Amino acid sequence: MTQKHSFDVIVVGGGGAGLMAALFASQTAKTAVLSKLHPVRSHTGAAQGGIGAALGNLEEDHWEWHAYDTVKGSDYLGDQDAIEFMCQEAIRAVYDLEHFGLPFSRTPDGRIAQRPFGGHTNNATGKPVRRSCYAADRTGHMILQTLYQQCVRRETIFFDEFYVLDLLLENGAVAGVVALELATGELHLFQAKAVIFATGGHGRMWEITSNAYAYTGDGVAVTLRRGIPAEDMEFFQFHPTGIYKLGILITEAVRGEGGVLINDKGERFMEHYAPHIKDLASRDVVSRALHLEMQAGRGIGGQRYVYLDVRPETVNHYAALDGRTRPDGSPYRVTAEEIQAKIPDIIDFCRTYLGVDPVKEPMPVQPTAHYAMGGIPTDINGRVVGDERGTVVPGLYAAGECACVSVHGANRLGTNSLVDLIVFGKAAGQDAARYAAGAGFQPLPADAEDFARQQLEHLRHGAGTERPAEIRREMQRLMFEQVGVFRTQEGLEQAVRQLQDLRARCRQVRVSDQGRAYNYELVNTWELGNLLDLALVTAESALARRESRGAHAREDFPRRDDENWLRHTLARLEGDRVTLSYKPVTITRYQPRERTY
Amino acid sequence: MLTTLKIYRYDPENGGAPHYDTFTLEAQPTDRVLDLLERVRDDHDGTLAFRRSCAHGVCGSDAMRINGRNYLACKVLVKDLGTTEITIEPLLGLPVKKDLVVDMGPFFDHYREVMPYLVNDEEPPEGKERLQTPAERELFDDTTKCILCAACTTSCPVFWANGNYQGPAAIVNAHRFIFDSRDRAAEPRLAVLARQTGVWSCRTAFNCTEACPRDIKVTQAIAEVKRALVRRKPSARR
Ligand SMILES: Cc1cc2nc3c(=O)[nH]c(=O)nc-3n(C[C@H](O)[C@H](O)[C@H](O)COP(=O)(O)OP(=O)(O)OC[C@H]3O[C@@H](n4cnc5c(N)ncnc54)[C@H](O)[C@@H]3O)c2cc1C
């Protein structure tokens, strides 16, 4: 028997965005958080480098500069009203976190410490600015812990290890969600006036990724199936420095602290691609540079990686060449101890997985699939916008990586996702509670959980001619090769064809685990279906966009084309068919210009 | 190299007794034990249950007993074990739900007991941070690293013998706030830790420190909490 529950607000996801939404929604509305992982296992905990805000603790900075950098970083695809709102609110958000207890690293006079990060600049000089507020190299861990601690304090209601399978809409408005309790295999029906999706990203569709196993795009897939479009899915960020083969992220903070990228000839090649800020250019720029270096045979030993070098002698050598100084004007010089203190976790990863000590040896790195700029379309209050005309779906919200506000446009700047979670998680939580106070429950149909139940039964009793692991591996290889850092018409067409084929094969899967309790095989197969849907939408959106912008680099259309393509993609999925439409970008004060670093 | 995994199995639905299944697979010395578990589930036996998410030692999902010692499966490589015979079992001291999945409920109950959150009801400076010097911050830096994976608590012989013992992880999380200059609730927290089920039960076995995948000096944190208890004003003691 399906168990029934009723809440004003349901938050799906217990990461940074979800917990923030819950903390604020629960102040006035009866709220519960459903999460497939225990909240402290969420991927927000993996964020390393920091959260950006123009506090100006170490040098002059202004939120307007942060906004301009974000617009430029987005390759002008970000909506500028939302970006301005976010960068203004970022300052308050960081202080809120500090007041919640977040143990930020500190300056000598006790204020929140800040460091340089890719694409963040002093707009007057064009030089890198210290804007990233950090807690060593585990900022995300501290955000996740701190928010969870506050939830414990306020006795927030959690349904841990509840997997949301479906969204219920009635009369065009939210009615609730259907979830699978992992411990028992039972279905639960949650009636709700408002539902906030905060389910994170979908980087698991690529072979090399920094993303958790859980990054399977569930929120976007669920809403797509219910007729909500997905926005700008062709824009997916490849981070330039993943550990070779493993994909584990080496934060940009390593370059912020003075690390440099080196090719097989021992050259600091970023000088050729971004003469001004070099290794701290935007991620799309650096990832393409790595790709081109490797294509030209300048990967280390001709292989598919380059070196990231943060040995003190290297850092000091290039810092001297760059004329880099400390805030007090003295020359920038570091010791091995200082590096160890600033990036302890990175050093630990390298020792554990590579047997390499980064203060003694350079690290082998390659681009790794990292961040979804695209997702569920929302406005700045987190309300889901269901079409190109801006029509809001009553009661439906999204925040965090699964949402597309859009503040990241075609390419996200480092530190801006954590800002996004905190600012828009809060906005969505507040707005959802306000909405719930004035709205009634939609009636639930008698067959509310039928769709989810049928799909699960299908997986349990399928023809059994296909194995999910095979399909997953093929999808991941295909996406990395054809829908990766560089794309072509031919490759994308091939990707679309093969993805259709993989989706057909996925319908022939039968899971071998016929049990109820903790049936991870069932859940993982369901997730594979979600990834395949999103992969198809990503490839189709990329195929249609005949230009290069931010993270979407077409070899056959190498230039940005503002005349035809300064617009957001909206993709809908009906059966096997993807249909695309477009909506304009909001521009307030920053007119599109050529983007160089 | 050919590697043998001997994995603890328990399925509550089939009413069967716990047993071990053996799988032999080709492994690289640099494979994570988690990679091998994934391959078992993908290619050999889909019914195997274990938790995992980040796969690089920060989410804390996959703490388990590997060759008799607690590790995160994603943070131990085959070559680290020095053998090709690998026995994998669920954490000790927590109820097993299925295969390698344990009930983390009792663990989080102990965590909640120690008020694991900043308490400070003084109005914070408007539009500014509370100040804290790097030296003040350093006092609790180590214990902020905890990822609540339970590797420490479930390696503790005292906890095995008495599940009511708060255990090292709860004490580590209490430490994180007791030594935070911004916090105002050290006293009630210390009162909780002074109970019979609190820090004094620790027998300094050091298992916790060895088990911690984040290299937290757990035993030292416990000792610091004990010292704070001793220093407590007598009037505050009950
Ligand atoms: C290695 C790494 C380093 C990073 N470093 C930085 C950084 O320094 N600065 C920065 O700004 N950004 C960084 N990022 C990006 C940033 O961390 C993420 O974008 C962000 O944390 C996502 O937060 P979220 O709340 O949207 O999702 P998450 O924290 O991933 O939470 C998603 C939640 O949704 C739940 N969920 C998912 N699907 C379901 C379902 N079907 N049913 C129920 N629950 C579900 C999960 O259980 C989880 O609780 C980094 C990312 C990675 C991978």
Side-chain angles (χ1 to χ4, degrees):
Chain A
M1 261 307 287
T2 308
Q3 293 185 48
K4 294 203 172 73
H5 313 261
S6 176
F7 288 91
D8 292 335
V9 178
I10 288 289
V11 181
V12 185
L19 295 182
M20 201 67 189
L23 279 172
F24 283 89
S26 61
Q27 289 176 6
T28 53
K30 189 181 167 205
T31 303
V33 180
L34 274 51
S35 181
K36 69 175 175 181
L37 306 172
H38 186 285
V40 300
R41 315 289 177 222
S42 303
H43 211 43
T44 293
Q48 303 167 352
I51 172 166
L55 308 185
N57 277 357
L58 288 153
E59 58 185 311
E60 182 183 359
D61 200 6
H62 306 280
W63 71 259
E64 292 90 344
W65 289 0
H66 187 186
Y68 170 72
D69 290 339
T70 303
V71 170
K72 179 180 171 187
S74 81
D75 219 348
Y76 295 91
L77 192 70
D79 288 316
Q80 298 183 7
D81 53 344
I83 291 174
E84 289 178 315
F85 173 74
M86 178 179 82
C87 295
Q88 243 171 316
E89 289 294 312
I91 297 170
R92 164 93 183 264
V94 166
Y95 291 132
D96 280 350
L97 289 173
E98 198 282 331
H99 298 160
F100 283 161
L102 198 139
F104 282 108
S105 296
R106 299 287 172 154
T107 65
D109 56 352
R111 302 169 74 189
I112 295 170
Q114 299 187 274
R115 66 173 152 218
F117 232 80
H120 293 277
T121 65
N122 174 314
N123 285 187
T125 63
K127 288 262 160 69
V129 72
R130 294 176 191 82
R131 185 178 292 144
S132 168
C133 311
Y134 62 94
D137 54 357
R138 47 175 188 279
T139 314
H141 165 73
M142 291 324 331
I143 289 181
L144 187 64
Q145 293 288 324
T146 301
L147 294 178
Y148 187 67
Q149 290 156 2
Q150 289 300 315
C151 288
V152 170
R153 181 171 193 191
R154 291 162 206 210
E155 299 180 357
T156 306
I157 299 169
F158 285 101
F159 291 84
D160 295 338
E161 302 194 315
F162 273 60
Y163 188 105
V164 170
L165 300 165
D166 198 11
L167 164 71
L168 304 170
L169 295 169
E170 286 296 317
N171 309 311
V174 159
V177 295
V178 179
L180 176 75
E181 182 180 6
L182 297 186
T184 61
E186 297 293 328
L187 286 180
H188 291 245
L189 194 54
F190 290 84
Q191 188 173 35
K193 296 175 184 172
V195 170
I196 304 174
F197 278 93
T199 50
H202 51 257
R204 277 279 153 183
M205 70 173 73
W206 283 273
E207 186 180 11
I208 306 285
T209 178
S210 67
N211 284 187
Y213 278 105
Y215 260 24
T216 54
D218 301 351
V220 186
V222 164
T223 50
L224 254 182
R225 277 197 290 272
R226 289 295 171 193
I228 311 289
E231 182 173 346
D232 290 342
M233 291 292 284
E234 63 272 43
F235 297 102
F236 194 91
Q237 179 168 77
F238 286 77
H239 193 294
T241 59
I243 294 181
Y244 180 50
K245 285 191 178 158
L246 289 171
I248 297 171
L249 191 80
I250 304 294
T251 170
E252 214 159 279
V254 169
R255 283 170 284 140
E257 301 296 347
V260 293
L261 291 159
I262 303 283
N263 66 17
D264 196 44
K265 294 166 79 183
E267 291 169 332
R268 183 198 197 182
F269 56 86
M270 280 312 298
E271 287 174 343
H272 309 307
Y273 298 91
H276 292 290
I277 57 176
K278 300 171 190 158
D279 298 89
L280 282 177
S282 253
R283 289 178 182 169
D284 56 332
V285 175
V286 184
S287 283
R288 280 196 292 276
L290 256 74
H291 195 94
L292 292 171
E293 287 295 306
M294 297 184 307
Q295 216 166 35
R298 292 192 291 272
I300 305 301
Q303 306 252 59
R304 306 289 302 164
Y305 65 91
V306 299
Y307 279 140
L308 173 58
D309 193 341
V310 72
R311 291 176 296 181
E313 57 273 24
T314 310
V315 170
N316 292 335
H317 172 71
Y318 287 103
L321 285 180
D322 290 350
R324 184 169 172 186
T325 54
R326 295 209 177 262
D328 64 4
S330 63
Y332 185 84
R333 289 190 64 81
V334 295
T335 61
E337 290 69 45
E338 280 173 87
I339 289 173
Q340 251 145 6
K342 291 237 167 100
I343 50 164
D345 279 9
I346 295 299
I347 289 180
D348 182 39
F349 295 152
C350 289
R351 286 186 185 146
T352 304
Y353 299 111
L354 297 168
V356 161
D357 187 342
V359 295
K360 299 207 184 101
E361 284 172 84
M363 303 167 249
V365 295
Q366 74 177 133
T368 184
H370 185 56
Y371 182 84
M373 272 76 74
I376 308 168
T378 74
D379 65 12
I380 64 171
N381 295 310
R383 300 186 299 179
V384 172
V385 177
D387 60 24
E388 33 292 291
R389 291 179 305 280
T391 313
V392 163
V393 183
L396 188 58
Y397 293 79
E401 189 168 337
C402 72
C404 180
V405 184
S406 147
V407 284
H408 310 302
N411 172 63
R412 171 174 75 82
L413 288 192
T415 80
N416 270 356
S417 172
L418 295 176
V419 182
D420 173 352
L421 309 183
I422 304 306
V423 170
F424 294 108
K426 175 177 171 180
Q430 286 176 328
D431 204 275
R434 211 176 304 134
Y435 169 83
F441 286 102
Q442 295 294 331
L444 284 177
D447 59 351
E449 69 274 23
D450 271 15
F451 173 76
R453 190 186 305 282
Q454 279 164 14
Q455 298 294 307
L456 290 177
E457 286 312 304
H458 185 81
L459 291 178
R460 285 199 170 101
H461 306 294
T465 49
E466 292 287 348
R467 299 221 339 272
E470 279 306 316
I471 298 173
R472 191 192 67 234
R473 288 174 190 139
E474 285 183 41
M475 167 190 70
Q476 289 172 333
R477 239 174 282 133
L478 175 70
M479 291 301 287
F480 205 70
E481 277 161 24
Q482 306 299 358
V483 198
V485 176
F486 280 101
R487 298 150 180 200
T488 62
Q489 171 102 14
E490 207 188 348
L492 291 168
E493 281 169 353
Q494 186 194 332
V496 168
R497 272 195 312 274
Q498 292 189 10
L499 286 167
Q500 292 287 19
D501 187 43
L502 291 173
R503 291 172 84 237
R505 283 171 55 193
C506 198
R507 287 191 276 272
Q508 306 300 318
V509 161
R510 170 195 205 145
V511 298
S512 60
D513 190 346
Q514 296 288 312
R516 302 266 147 196
Y518 295 102
N519 190 334
Y520 285 109
E521 192 191 12
L522 184 68
V523 168
N524 294 349
T525 307
W526 182 283
E527 290 173 336
L528 174 63
N530 288 348
L531 283 173
L532 281 167
D533 282 359
L534 299 196
L536 180 67
V537 164
T538 301
E540 290 271 25
S541 302
L543 179 60
R545 186 173 282 270
R546 294 155 81 95
E547 67 157 351
S548 290
R549 181 187 298 274
H552 175 65
R554 289 279 302 252
E555 282 179 44
D556 40 357
F557 298 95
R559 302 194 67 80
R560 196 175 83 196
D561 175 1
D562 286 338
E563 208 169 305
N564 295 302
W565 288 104
L566 185 57
R567 49 190 188 156
H568 297 291
T569 306
L570 291 179
R572 288 186 178 76
L573 181 65
E574 282 151 66
D576 287 334
R577 256 196 61 227
V578 176
T579 45
L580 301 175
S581 58
Y582 295 91
K583 69 177 184 186
V585 173
T586 307
I587 291 180
T588 56
R589 60 171 109 176
Y590 310 100
Q591 287 307 314
R593 279 199 268 157
E594 203 194 338
R595 178 166 167 261
T596 54
Y597 282 100
Chain B
M1 54 194 186
L2 226 47
T3 303
T4 313
L5 297 191
K6 200 175 129 196
I7 304 177
Y8 179 98
R9 303 302 302 270
Y10 167 68
D11 179 359
E13 283 160 71
N14 284 339
H19 63 279
Y20 289 84
D21 278 343
T22 302
F23 303 91
T24 305
L25 37 135
E26 194 55 44
Q28 301 292 320
T30 51
D31 277 337
R32 295 166 275 207
V33 171
L34 179 65
D35 297 326
L36 305 186
L37 287 172
E38 283 291 324
R39 277 200 329 255
V40 168
R41 187 153 70 192
D42 277 351
D43 302 330
H44 299 267
D45 185 347
T47 67
L48 179 65
F50 56 92
R51 294 187 177 104
R52 63 17 176 181
S53 186
C54 79
H56 66 284
V58 297
C59 80
S61 300
D62 60 350
M64 50 188 80
R65 240 167 113 77
I66 299 171
N67 286 355
R69 212 206 105 167
N70 283 358
Y71 292 98
L72 297 179
C74 64
K75 231 191 151 182
V76 58
L77 309 186
V78 173
K79 68 173 169 117
D80 301 337
L81 296 170
T83 166
T84 52
E85 314 252 302
I86 306 176
T87 303
I88 307 178
E89 299 162 298
L91 295 173
L92 279 181
L94 292 170
V96 179
K97 303 297 279 187
K98 186 182 174 191
D99 300 340
L100 304 172
V101 174
V102 295
D103 179 2
M104 294 288 283
F107 174 80
F108 279 104
D109 289 344
H110 288 312
Y111 166 75
R112 276 189 294 271
E113 273 172 48
V114 300
M115 307 168 65
Y117 39 76
L118 187 89
V119 178
N120 183 337
D121 295 328
E122 298 152 23
E123 205 45 46
E126 176 58 28
K128 280 284 160 223
E129 65 270 63
R130 292 191 165 101
L131 296 179
Q132 180 169 61
T133 65
E136 288 169 332
R137 164 77 173 64
E138 187 56 31
L139 290 178
F140 66 101
D141 179 69
D142 201 38
T143 45
T144 65
K145 295 192 300 200
C146 176
I147 55 176
L148 299 169
C149 69
C152 60
T153 295
T154 61
S155 73
C156 171
V158 180
F159 180 75
W160 294 337
N162 176 8
N164 293 327
Y165 171 41
Q166 290 159 357
I171 301 171
V172 159
N173 281 278
H175 178 284
R176 180 250 168 277
F177 291 100
I178 292 169
F179 292 91
D180 186 334
S181 57
R182 302 168 296 172
D183 186 77
R184 299 289 175 264
E187 183 43 45
R189 239 178 245 119
L190 286 169
V192 173
L193 293 161
R195 288 182 199 152
Q196 216 177 0
T197 51
V199 280
W200 300 116
S201 299
C202 167
R203 291 282 164 269
T204 342
F206 274 105
N207 287 16
C208 51
T209 303
E210 268 164 39
C212 179
R214 303 281 297 156
D215 295 328
I216 298 173
K217 298 180 198 74
V218 182
T219 315
Q220 182 181 323
I222 296 176
E224 286 174 9
V225 169
K226 286 180 180 169
R227 277 204 294 278
L229 270 175
V230 172
R231 276 201 311 270
R232 245 187 345 155
K233 284 192 222 76
S235 61
R237 286 191 213 152
R238 266 175 290 163

